[in-house]
Amino acid sequence: MPRKAAPSASQAARKAATTEPVVRFETVGMRYGRAPEVLKDVRFTLSPGSFHFLTGPSGAGKSSLLKLIYLAAQPSRGRVELFGHDVQAVPRQDQPFLRRRIGVVFQEFRLLDHLTAFDNVALPLRVAGQKPAAYREDVRELLSWVGLGQKLNAMPPALSGGEKQRLAIARAVVNRPELLIADEPTGNVDHEMALRILKLFIELNRLGTTVLIASHDRELVEASGMPVLKLNEGKLTRQRGADAA
Amino acid sequence: MSQPPLRPGSLLPRNRSRDFALHFVVAVLCFLACLAAVGALAADRAAQGWSRDIRGEATVQVIPRSGETGASAAARAAEVLAGVRGVSEAAALERDKAEALLRPWLGDAPLDDLPVPHLVAVRLDPAHPASGADLRRALTAAGVDGIVDDHDRWLEGVEQAATGVRAAVIALFLLMTAAAGAVIAFATRTGMAAAHDVVEVLHLTGARDDFIAGLFQVRYARLAAVSGLWGAGAAAAVAALVKVLGGGDGLTPALPLAWSDLLAVSPWPLVAATVAVVAARLTTMRLLREFE
Ligand SMILES: Nc1ncnc2c1ncn2[C@@H]1O[C@H](COP(=O)(O)OP(=O)(O)OP(=O)(O)O)[C@@H](O)[C@H]1O
Ligand SMILES: [Mg+2]
């Protein structure tokens, strides 16, 4: 599979791999069933290590665009590339390995209510076949990094909105994804917490993770000073420093 | 700082009331299958016993010639038959024994005037039994008239009954297995529908289909094995009770149970678990196709 680059791979090959876009959309259209397209002719690229916001009014298609990236939906036309792979050409049994390179903070969190905070964060590692002894310390450290060090054994229903949000973020980043997708990650928190979360994303980005955040928190977007992709009625326009496709 | 749990929680949520219903159904199916298996063993043993008895015996009805009493004709026939190869013993049945055989049909009526048939009971050598034809030939050679009954007709009946019982048990087995498979497939489907969100999150966080199917397989195999044990245990208890209450020979001659027959319940929990694994896997793999 794609991830398993041989350790003996040449420097040149490695360099080529790191400059290849993490995400590339080419004239992508998408519709649900027979409804009109919610995304029309979308084209953009995310280069490795970049940080973008995705904004636009409610219903503009932000979540739909993100779903195409984390392989929860297929484009109805055009081409979506992930780490250089045409997603529609990736066989089903190989898709999990692509998904494991992407961390997702869902708009509605999607935490598992029957598992503790600790087990929720450990989920992507368990799914990838890691043993508890191997991830115990990492998960604990990550939880304290997002300020949930005292809540390891709490169940999600017993957490506040902001705590759930941070738990969802911890789960998204626990396996050090190459790409982090976050859908309205500050939708449920006050401005101060939003800034803290933003700082967390920026820190991850500094460590090399490519980041794409959907948000209509204008203040936050402004405060970040990061490039913005703007969606309106399914059409994408670039603003402020975003890469040209 | 609080400590992380020592053991990771189960990835699939539990639903105790639904699990209980499934436990119950699988246990009942296993119980019935076990009883059928034990019953089949006992029936087989009974059939074998009967056919051994029948195969080892023949009866000759002697017809006295004129100037000869029935008793002397029978005595002569017994002597002749005792000398035939493959016969271990031949004895004329005394009049009172023959009468005793007729009693159930005739009640208390006096039998003095009745021409009670003159019978010779022949016990055959179990290793090399003489055939009915052998006996007939010997009688003709010695000038004795008689009708030889080698009980073949009965043997056929017993063997047919035994074959019928075996076929019924196999049919029952297939039916129970199919029912258990169907009920577990159904449970997997409802379990997956109830855990749809969980399955979707697992899928989106990079779980392979095999991994997700494995969770359902383990869950239902364990459930089926446990309920199978209960069902098998209950069946063994019932069979033991039947044996003890039915006297030393079990529900004597009809259903001769041996203690070793109880072992017939032991493979069933494993069968139930295997059926569960197959049903859960097929169902999960099919339903997972719905996820992009
Ligand atoms: N599962 C679905 N089935 C059918 N239509 C859908 C589905 N999900 C979204 N839509 C439709 O697609 C359009 C875009 O929805 P989407 O969720 O992508 O918008 P959004 O930009 O994320 O909005 P918001 O800011 O409110 O989260 C909407 O008109 C919505 O009704
Ligand atoms: Mg949305």
Side-chain angles (χ1 to χ4, degrees):
Chain A
M1 252 318 290
R3 185 164 206 175
K4 290 178 195 145
S8 59
S10 71
Q11 280 308 96
R14 215 173 283 177
K15 196 151 189 210
T18 52
T19 52
E20 173 179 89
V22 173
V23 177
R24 180 198 205 97
F25 275 46
E26 273 173 34
T27 56
V28 168
M30 184 208 171
R31 52 159 45 104
Y32 292 98
R34 284 151 187 264
E37 287 193 324
V38 297
L39 295 177
K40 299 164 193 138
D41 286 326
V42 172
R43 56 174 77 220
F44 71 96
T45 57
L46 300 181
S47 30
S50 62
F51 192 125
H52 287 86
F53 274 101
L54 176 64
T55 64
S58 182
K62 302 183 292 296
S63 296
S64 305
L65 187 151
L66 298 185
K67 273 188 211 162
L68 291 176
I69 299 178
Y70 60 78
L71 304 180
Q74 294 274 338
S76 35
R77 64 188 172 87
R79 182 181 164 98
V80 175
E81 274 179 30
L82 262 182
F83 308 109
H85 300 274
D86 176 355
V87 296
Q88 283 180 293
V90 177
R92 182 180 173 89
Q93 71 266 24
D94 290 340
Q95 286 174 8
F97 299 99
L98 275 188
R99 288 199 181 91
R100 290 176 197 174
R101 301 168 71 179
I102 308 170
V104 185
V105 184
F106 299 100
Q107 188 163 12
E108 55 298 353
F109 310 140
R110 304 221 192 169
L111 298 168
L112 301 190
D113 286 348
H114 66 288
L115 292 181
T116 61
F118 180 88
D119 280 339
N120 264 284
V121 172
L123 188 72
L125 304 175
R126 277 172 86 176
V127 152
Q130 284 195 35
K131 295 277 164 278
Y135 61 65
R136 224 171 121 86
E137 279 316 307
D138 287 349
V139 170
R140 185 152 59 162
E141 220 167 274
L142 179 58
L143 274 163
S144 51
W145 189 58
V146 296
L148 293 174
Q150 303 300 324
K151 303 271 184 173
L152 299 188
N153 294 306
M155 297 301 196
L159 296 178
S160 76
E163 286 169 339
K164 282 185 201 159
Q165 192 96 63
R166 284 177 278 150
L167 192 56
I169 291 167
R171 185 181 67 186
V173 304
V174 70
N175 59 355
R176 302 174 187 275
E178 293 158 65
L179 171 63
L180 180 72
I181 304 287
D183 200 351
E184 300 292 353
T186 58
N188 298 271
V189 296
D190 59 30
H191 189 65
E192 203 166 318
M193 178 59 78
L195 285 176
R196 267 180 68 189
I197 289 174
L198 177 65
K199 268 177 72 181
L200 207 145
F201 287 145
I202 290 174
E203 199 169 327
L204 280 169
N205 179 243
R206 281 212 192 95
L207 296 171
T209 303
T210 307
V211 178
L212 178 62
I213 301 173
S215 174
H216 39 215
D217 185 341
R218 218 167 276 209
E219 247 179 295
L220 188 76
V221 175
E222 292 296 321
S224 76
M226 293 297 184
V228 176
L229 299 169
K230 195 160 191 227
L231 257 187
N232 210 338
E233 293 179 1
K235 293 218 165 80
L236 191 72
T237 51
R238 259 158 297 273
Q239 284 192 343
R240 222 176 52 201
D243 296 356
Chain B
M1 186 191 279
S2 64
Q3 283 295 312
L6 283 178
R7 283 207 317 148
S10 147
L11 289 180
L12 294 180
R14 289 195 187 291
N15 178 323
R16 292 197 189 281
S17 58
R18 195 175 48 233
D19 284 358
F20 178 79
L22 188 60
H23 266 302
F24 182 74
V25 173
V26 174
V28 167
L29 285 172
C30 198
F31 173 77
L32 295 176
C34 288
L35 277 192
V38 171
L41 283 185
D44 216 47
R45 177 169 304 106
Q48 265 175 28
W50 291 337
S51 51
R52 197 181 323 110
D53 290 351
I54 291 170
R55 228 189 283 279
E57 289 174 351
T59 318
V60 176
Q61 188 186 344
V62 179
I63 302 158
R65 294 189 169 176
S66 55
E68 197 182 23
T69 66
S72 68
R76 209 153 58 82
E79 212 181 298
V80 169
L81 290 170
V84 175
R85 266 174 64 107
V87 172
S88 46
E89 204 182 324
L93 229 57
E94 280 149 33
R95 185 175 166 92
D96 52 346
K97 278 203 182 147
E99 278 181 13
L101 284 176
L102 293 174
R103 274 293 169 210
W105 281 274
L106 300 179
D108 289 335
L111 299 177
D112 296 344
D113 303 333
L114 211 68
V116 174
H118 303 281
L119 299 176
V120 177
V122 181
R123 276 218 291 126
L124 301 173
D125 175 0
H128 307 281
S131 71
D134 293 339
L135 302 183
R136 254 173 241 122
R137 223 174 295 122
L139 288 175
T140 317
V144 180
D145 295 332
I147 301 162
V148 175
D149 176 1
D150 58 7
H151 299 184
D152 263 357
R153 278 176 299 133
W154 302 108
L155 199 61
E156 213 169 277
V158 167
E159 271 164 10
Q160 259 176 20
T163 309
V165 167
R166 260 176 240 132
V169 167
I170 289 173
L172 209 64
F173 164 75
L174 293 178
L175 213 74
M176 304 267 184
T177 309
V183 81
I184 288 163
F186 177 75
T188 307
R189 210 171 302 132
T190 50
M192 245 185 114
H196 184 275
D197 292 351
V198 175
V199 171
E200 191 168 26
V201 169
L202 292 173
H203 177 72
L204 289 177
T205 47
R208 300 172 61 218
D209 289 354
D210 265 344
F211 179 89
I212 297 173
L215 296 176
F216 284 92
Q217 281 162 231
V218 168
R219 142 110 15 133
Y220 289 113
R222 191 173 294 163
L223 189 149
V226 169
S227 5
L229 278 175
W230 279 105
V238 167
L241 202 69
V242 165
K243 178 157 173 65
V244 169
L245 294 185
D249 286 340
L251 264 191
T252 40
L255 217 53
L257 266 178
W259 286 115
S260 62
D261 290 350
L262 298 193
L263 288 179
V265 308
S266 55
W268 293 93
L270 197 67
V271 170
T274 309
V275 169
V277 166
V278 173
R281 177 167 192 87
L282 293 179
T283 311
T284 323
M285 289 307 255
R286 195 161 48 76
L287 293 184
L288 277 172
R289 304 251 145 228
E290 288 169 18
F291 291 90
E292 287 275 358

